[in-house]
Amino acid sequence: CVMQTAIDLLGRGYIPVIVEDCVSSRNVNDKNIAIERMRQAGAYISTYESILFELLQEAGTETFKAISNLVK
């Protein structure tokens, strides 16, 4: 479902961001192939931790510290 949605979004001119460690498949190899296919098609592949810190934009704030403690 995630791959089909990502491919559809790409076809509509969007660039989906796939949070790799938040998607799954019944078979690890199927997931790996789907992630690679989405990457090759133009989707951005990232992890939840990277996205959280990217959204924060700034280290050293109270929000940064709170989220940092959550992901450790």
Side-chain angles (χ1 to χ4, degrees), residues 17-70:
V17 177
I18 308 302
V19 186
E20 188 274 336
D21 48 354
C22 293
V23 298
S24 66
S25 179
R26 289 176 288 182
N27 182 302
V28 174
N29 188 53
D30 288 338
K31 176 187 172 182
N32 293 338
I33 296 299
I35 293 292
E36 186 56 31
R37 181 172 175 208
M38 289 184 283
R39 177 182 286 116
Q40 289 176 359
Y44 294 142
I45 312 298
S46 191
T47 64
Y48 83 91
E49 187 173 326
S50 292
I51 288 174
L52 281 174
F53 289 124
E54 185 176 340
L55 290 171
L56 289 170
Q57 296 180 346
E58 189 176 333
T61 66
E62 290 304 314
T63 303
F64 179 91
K65 292 174 187 174
I67 289 178
S68 182
N69 285 333
L70 288 173

